[in-house]
Amino acid sequence: MTKRRYITVMALLACQQAPAFAQDQVISGSSSSRRERVEPPIGSLLGNRLTKENMDPAQAVRLAHQAAACWVAQRKGAARAAASALTLEEREKGFETLKKETPCDSAAVNGITERASWTVPLDVKTGMLAEALLRTSKGPALAALPLEQSYVRPWFGLSSRNLVIDEMAACVADTNPAGVSALFKTRPESDKEKTAISTLAASFGPCLRAGAKLRANSMGLRAALAEAMWQRALQPAPVLAGGAH
């Protein structure tokens, strides 16, 4: 009888925001894993062999997007509740419900013997879920709005993402929704995604606070823009605020 080799791929997707200098804002990302091998017991015909292997970071990001799409397909109401929550407690509770009732965060890699699981920070997870929900939306395309002097939204500050990033994402979602939608049509971690982000770059500068600079990885940036677009779709009328941007 042929032995099967079972492989579990572990990946950690991290997105951290921290100031590099006085006004510089950063989105950074990393992927890490460990490798372990457990051989079958002596005399066993089949045994249980578990090998933990490194996963390519780009593959891990794409699998996390697939998990978000799975949640939306199987539990759209719960997915909407998690992505739309305006308190951290409600958001975390929403994701706990999704994880418990719909095990989409563990997916087959090759359909036979390999499986993957990962950990995604809340801000990235929310953005991926928002993007999956937007993909199923049947509403009309959002129109471009004039640049505001400042941006204040009730969903700001619900995760570790820096406020400056939330402001910029809300601004870009308002002023260039077509460009953001074009980004969501690309495969994560692909050359087409890089091109779409480069095309959007002209919208980033006017949307950043004076003196701030953006250094972003595609995963964190895409998640921030997705959350901003989703929140705008929920409440199209902008929340106006005084003061200079």
Side-chain angles (χ1 to χ4, degrees), residues 15-197:
C15 181
Q16 302 172 339
Q17 295 79 36
F21 300 100
Q23 287 267 351
D24 291 5
Q25 304 301 326
V26 180
I27 299 179
S28 63
S30 65
S31 178
S32 63
S33 63
R34 59 178 181 173
R35 176 173 179 166
E36 296 179 2
R37 175 164 296 176
V38 181
E39 294 298 335
I42 297 175
S44 170
L45 292 177
L46 292 177
N48 292 311
R49 185 169 69 178
L50 172 64
T51 304
K52 294 185 179 181
E53 304 281 0
N54 290 331
M55 180 192 291
D56 175 70
Q59 183 185 27
V61 173
R62 288 191 286 267
L63 285 173
H65 274 280
Q66 290 177 23
C70 170
W71 276 329
V72 171
Q74 296 193 33
R75 292 293 309 279
K76 189 171 184 178
R80 285 180 61 92
S84 308
L86 294 180
T87 69
L88 185 59
E89 181 180 7
E90 290 176 350
R91 181 168 291 188
E92 290 177 337
K93 184 178 179 180
F95 278 108
E96 282 298 318
T97 299
L98 285 172
K99 185 174 182 178
K100 184 181 301 182
E101 299 182 3
T102 312
C104 292
D105 57 348
S106 181
V109 178
N110 66 8
I112 302 174
T113 60
E114 297 189 24
R115 298 193 68 80
S117 60
W118 49 88
T119 301
V120 183
L122 186 62
D123 56 338
V124 175
K125 190 186 304 184
T126 302
M128 290 178 173
L129 193 62
E131 182 180 335
L133 285 163
L134 286 166
R135 197 169 288 113
T136 65
S137 176
K138 304 299 181 182
L142 295 173
L145 298 174
L147 183 71
E148 299 175 20
Q149 284 189 323
S150 64
Y151 286 81
V152 178
R153 300 291 186 268
W155 54 271
F156 287 178
L158 290 183
S159 68
S160 60
R161 189 185 299 124
N162 193 286
L163 177 61
V164 173
I165 301 300
D166 281 339
E167 291 174 345
M168 185 209 70
C171 172
V172 175
D174 275 7
T175 59
N176 191 2
V180 179
S181 296
L183 170 62
F184 297 156
K185 292 177 182 178
T186 67
R187 188 186 189 205
E189 304 298 312
S190 67
D191 289 339
K192 289 185 177 180
E193 180 190 61
K194 293 177 182 178
T195 299
I197 291 175

Side-chain angles (χ1 to χ4, degrees), residues 209-226:
R209 288 186 185 185
K213 297 178 182 179
L214 176 68
R215 296 196 297 274
N217 67 19
S218 57
M219 178 183 68
L221 182 59
R222 185 168 178 148
L225 291 169

